[in-house]
């Protein structure tokens, strides 16, 4: 067998995203090294398969359970904290683990019941390619976690809790002595916002480059934990399925490749990014569930009309087995979404994060489904309705409201948060910035909006709309106008059942509550302020920031 164990690494240069062609022979077992890098190959130390990439990286995989037990880059061990290995979920247990080499590729295959997991190395690259195929619910596998030794990458990012010793919620949200909060949930990022996550010292970088998430759930705007650091080390995640504030059922099938990439301190090569990575070298490796480029299709749209050009538009594809997305071009709405598995999908156009159009498309292997210009009906965008007044814009997010940006990387109790109470006055110019992004039954229920009406406006009935993006414990708005007219308690829409507002996520199911307010509710004195009190109704939840709550998108009174 080729390869080494326990001796100094070979050549010190590194290659990221190598485009070197792979051999196409089927993997049949241990073969002699044929790669150009002299040290490229693998060995067996009795407990682990040891892979030398022929660059600056040597890693080990347990022959017993498929754990990644060692990750040595330029002579330094990065794997391990708290005595734990890197692995799927919390470790698979006794598995069937095999290794084979074909030309410039080494593949380690792990089988645990119906679950299949893979590690691949390419000659001359400081990368570990991973795939995970969860075929059904018989195996708990919702993540792959790279566990990194303590002290190698020091930081105090929002998703770190090394310096935040006080637990303030559910044993996973912490507070520092200065009142700032930290949690592994607080990444700031939606899935579509990042290609990789990790750490750098300036001279060494350790990253996970995410997959295209075609078999994950939640869509392009979903937020989940990505990494964390604690006193005993750090973790980098590829999330296969995350239940926190989740809007979709779990999808099954092959996810990957996602990549553990080590660099000289810089970002991983853009050639590894989702949508860019070319893995034709993996087509013949026999990976369970793998579909080559030739077995995939594409959707292209010539444009989208009826857009509000002040907003970014995203196009998503989703069905029960896969999800994809792409950005619409700002100038005309042109979009393309490639590498799509064959099937029929719901195509949704999002203004910001608000769905404003949906249709059905069918994708075929090797084909391009071309769509004529999509015309968004004016009535589909609530922002097009004529309003007497409006607080914030209809874009499916609480962005612009008080504390909205902070809440993607901090707990509501964080010292940096502005007061969650305080009323607003229409016409003040601060209506949006003064209105809190979240409302809770036990924190700021009953917030008041003051506004004036003309005589003509006060003589007519009007529709009040409150848009929400998610809710916790069935929190939903009930309104009182001028202390004389009270709306019915609306039925709760379908929302995730887990925590949301306290773990950095407002992304649930957008929903618009409408209230038909009769003319008799308005004040006839045009110089007087009408009052709108917004309460949070629910019989669920506990106290404080875990009482029933909801995230607000926009509020308006229609003309």
């Amino acid at each position: 067998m080729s390869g080494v164990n326990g001796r100094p690494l070979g050549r010190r240069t590194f290659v990221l995203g190598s485009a070197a062609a792979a051999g196409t022979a089927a993997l049949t077992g241990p073969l002699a090294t044929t790669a150009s890098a002299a040290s490229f190959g693998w060995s067996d130390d009795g407990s682990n398969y040891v892979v030398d990439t022929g660059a600056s990286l040597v890693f080990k995989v347990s022959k017993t359970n498929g754990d990644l037990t060692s990750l040595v880059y330029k002579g330094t061990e990065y794997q391990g904290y708290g005595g734990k290995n890197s692995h799927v979920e919390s470790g698979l247990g006794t598995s069937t683990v095999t290794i084979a080499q074909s030309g410039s590729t080494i593949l380690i295959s792990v089988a645990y019941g119906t679950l299949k997991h893979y590690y691949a190395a390419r000659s001359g690259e400081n990368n570990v390619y991973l795939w995970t195929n969860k075929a059904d619910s018989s195996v708990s596998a919702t993540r792959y976690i790279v566990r990194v030794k303590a002290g190698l990458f020091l930081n105090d990012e929002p998703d770190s809790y090394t310096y935040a010793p006080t637990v303030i919620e559910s044993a996973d949200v912490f507070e520092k002595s200065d009142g700032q909060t930290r949690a592994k949930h607080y990444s700031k990022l939606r899935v579509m916002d990042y290609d990789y996550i990790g750490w750098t010292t300036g001279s060494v970088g350790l990253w996970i480059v995410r997959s295209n998430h075609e078999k994950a759930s939640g869509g392009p705007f979903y937020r989940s934990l990505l990494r964390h650091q604690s006193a005993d080390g750090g973790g980098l995640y590829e999330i296969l399925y995350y239940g926190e504030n989740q809007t979709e059922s779990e999808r099954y099938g092959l996810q990957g490749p996602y990549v553990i990439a080590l660099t000289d301190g810089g970002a991983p090569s853009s050639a590894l990014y989702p949508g860019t990575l070319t893995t034709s070298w993996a087509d013949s490796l026999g990976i369970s569930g793998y579909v080559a480029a030739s077995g995939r299709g594409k959707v292209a749209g010539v444009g989208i009309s009826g857009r509000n050009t002040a907003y970014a538009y995203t196009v998503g594809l989703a069905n029960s087995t896969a999800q994809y997305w792409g950005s619409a071009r700002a100038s005309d709405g042109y979009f393309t979404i490639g590498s799509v598995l064959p099937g029929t999908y719901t195509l949704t156009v999002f203004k910001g994060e608000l769905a404003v159009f949906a249709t059905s498309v069918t994708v075929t292997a090797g084909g391009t489904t071309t769509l004529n210009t999509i015309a968004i009906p004016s009535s589909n965008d609530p922002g097009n309705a004529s309003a007497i007044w409006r607080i914030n814009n209809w874009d499916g997010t609480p962005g612009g409201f008080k504390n909205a940006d902070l809440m993607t990387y901090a707990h509501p109790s964080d010292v940096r948060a502005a007061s969650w109470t305080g009323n607003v006055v229409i016409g003040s110019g601060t209506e949006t910035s003064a209105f809190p992004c979240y409302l809770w039954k036990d924190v700021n229920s009953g917030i008041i909006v003051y506004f004036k009406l003309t005589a003509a406006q006060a003589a007519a009935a009007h529709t009040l709309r409150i848009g929400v993006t998610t809710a916790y414990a069935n929190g939903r708005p009930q309104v009182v106008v001028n202390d004389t007219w009270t709306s019915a308690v609306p039925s709760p829409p379908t929302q995730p059942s887990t925590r949301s507002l306290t773990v950095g996520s407002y992304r649930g199911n957008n929903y618009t509550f409408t209230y038909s307010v009769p003319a008799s509710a308005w004040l006839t004195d045009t110089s007087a302020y009408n009052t709108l009190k917004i309460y949070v109704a629910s019989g669920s939840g506990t106290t404080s920031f875990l009482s029933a709550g909801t995230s607000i998108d926009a509020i308006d009174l229609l003309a």
Side-chain angles (χ1 to χ4, degrees):
M1 291 179 290
S2 60
V4 291
N5 179 43
R7 65 170 177 78
L9 294 174
R11 64 190 179 98
R12 308 293 287 180
T13 58
F14 67 91
V15 180
L16 285 173
S18 171
T24 56
L27 299 185
T28 57
L31 306 174
T33 300
T34 58
S36 58
S39 59
F40 176 72
W42 65 272
S43 64
D44 183 339
D45 71 2
S47 299
N48 305 278
Y49 290 122
V50 184
V51 178
D52 188 332
T53 65
S56 299
L57 175 64
V58 175
F59 65 92
K60 298 180 182 181
V61 175
S62 167
K63 294 167 57 181
T64 301
N65 56 22
D67 285 3
L68 183 69
T69 60
S70 177
L71 191 68
V72 174
Y73 179 65
K74 294 186 176 181
T76 298
E77 176 68 76
Y78 287 87
Q79 154 59 38
Y81 73 79
K84 298 178 181 179
N85 296 324
S86 300
H87 39 53
V88 175
E89 199 59 23
S90 296
L92 295 177
T94 302
S95 306
T96 300
V97 184
T98 58
I99 189 168
Q101 181 175 332
S102 177
S104 57
T105 302
I106 294 171
L107 183 72
I108 297 176
S109 303
V110 183
Y112 179 79
T114 61
L115 185 138
K116 305 293 188 295
H117 181 69
Y118 304 90
Y119 301 88
R122 298 275 289 156
S123 176
E125 296 186 15
N126 291 312
N127 305 316
V128 183
Y129 297 86
L130 302 96
W131 289 263
T132 305
N133 187 341
K134 182 179 179 182
D136 52 45
S137 61
S138 63
V139 178
S140 176
T142 62
R143 66 182 182 179
Y144 188 93
I145 180 170
V146 179
R147 300 187 187 272
V148 183
K149 290 174 66 175
L152 296 176
F153 299 100
L154 297 177
N155 68 57
D156 189 23
E157 296 299 315
D159 49 8
S160 258
Y161 44 94
T162 302
Y163 308 108
T166 304
V167 178
I168 61 172
E169 182 180 301
S170 298
D172 61 4
V173 182
F174 303 82
E175 184 179 69
K176 295 172 57 180
S177 59
D178 63 3
Q180 291 192 17
T181 53
R182 298 288 186 267
K184 62 184 179 180
H185 309 283
Y186 298 153
S187 67
K188 295 187 180 182
L189 303 174
R190 307 170 300 177
V191 172
M192 68 179 293
D193 294 332
Y194 74 97
D195 295 308
Y196 59 88
I197 194 77
W199 300 293
T200 180
T201 65
S203 59
V204 174
L206 175 56
W207 318 94
I208 276 193
V209 184
R210 72 167 174 86
S211 69
N212 66 356
H213 276 218
E214 70 181 4
K215 294 293 186 177
S217 300
F221 314 123
Y222 187 64
R223 298 173 186 268
S224 70
L225 60 89
L226 301 178
R227 65 181 181 183
H228 75 266
Q229 271 194 307
S230 58
D232 58 350
L236 297 177
Y237 297 87
E238 168 71 346
I239 296 299
L240 308 175
Y241 177 79
Y242 194 52
E244 203 85 76
N245 207 33
Q246 181 59 256
T247 59
E248 294 184 304
S249 299
E250 184 173 8
R251 293 182 171 95
Y252 299 113
L254 184 69
Q255 299 205 52
Y258 48 103
V259 186
I260 302 171
L262 289 112
T263 73
D264 61 355
S269 169
S270 59
L272 300 177
Y273 297 172
T276 303
L277 178 61
T278 300
T279 56
S280 56
W281 50 266
D283 290 358
S284 61
L285 297 183
I287 294 172
S288 174
Y290 183 92
V291 179
S294 60
R296 296 169 176 269
K298 179 179 179 181
V299 175
V302 300
I304 303 172
S305 64
R307 293 174 298 119
N308 182 332
T309 55
Y311 296 87
Y313 282 72
T314 301
V315 179
L317 301 176
N319 61 20
S320 62
T321 61
Q323 61 171 9
Y324 306 91
W325 57 82
S327 297
R329 192 160 62 192
S331 60
D332 56 9
Y334 168 83
F335 64 90
T336 180
I337 304 173
S339 197
V340 178
L341 293 171
T344 298
Y345 295 85
T346 297
L347 180 151
T348 304
V349 178
F350 298 92
K351 169 196 172 187
E353 297 183 15
L354 184 66
V356 292
F357 181 86
T359 189
S360 179
V361 297
T362 298
V363 179
T364 57
T368 298
T369 302
T370 302
L371 305 177
N372 294 325
T373 297
I374 292 173
I376 301 173
S378 179
S379 59
N380 283 20
D381 183 346
N384 291 333
S386 178
I388 296 171
W389 54 259
R390 176 170 291 140
I391 306 176
N392 214 356
N393 300 306
W394 291 89
D395 68 352
T397 82
F401 280 132
K402 182 166 61 175
N403 294 328
D405 180 62
L406 179 66
M407 287 303 95
T408 64
Y409 61 94
H411 190 267
S413 65
D414 195 287
V415 68
R416 292 167 292 179
S419 172
W420 287 104
T421 58
N423 303 319
V424 299
V425 180
I426 300 297
S428 64
T430 61
E431 299 95 330
T432 298
S433 60
F435 196 98
C437 61
Y438 299 162
L439 299 177
W440 289 273
K441 187 174 183 179
D442 200 36
V443 176
N444 55 357
S445 183
I447 193 167
I448 304 174
V449 178
Y450 294 91
F451 60 97
K452 293 181 179 180
L453 297 176
T454 67
Q457 291 167 343
H462 297 285
T463 297
L464 174 75
R465 302 188 300 184
I466 301 178
V468 303
T469 70
T470 195
Y472 175 69
N474 285 329
R476 66 270 197 196
Q478 181 181 26
V479 301
V480 176
V481 176
N482 291 322
D483 292 326
T484 60
W485 182 85
T486 302
S487 73
V489 176
S491 298
T494 300
Q495 295 289 4
S497 60
T498 65
R499 288 179 298 164
S500 53
L501 310 181
T502 60
V503 291
S505 178
Y506 59 77
R507 176 74 277 127
N509 293 311
N510 287 99
Y511 185 84
T512 302
F513 294 92
T514 60
Y515 310 84
S516 298
V517 185
S520 59
W522 311 123
L523 299 180
T524 57
D525 182 354
T526 58
S527 65
Y529 281 101
N530 289 269
T531 60
L532 168 68
K533 295 181 180 179
I534 305 174
Y535 294 91
V536 177
S538 176
S540 303
T542 56
T543 60
S544 187
F545 298 111
L546 289 178
S547 62
T550 190
S551 169
I552 307 298
D553 178 7
I555 305 170
D556 57 21
L557 185 67
L558 299 186

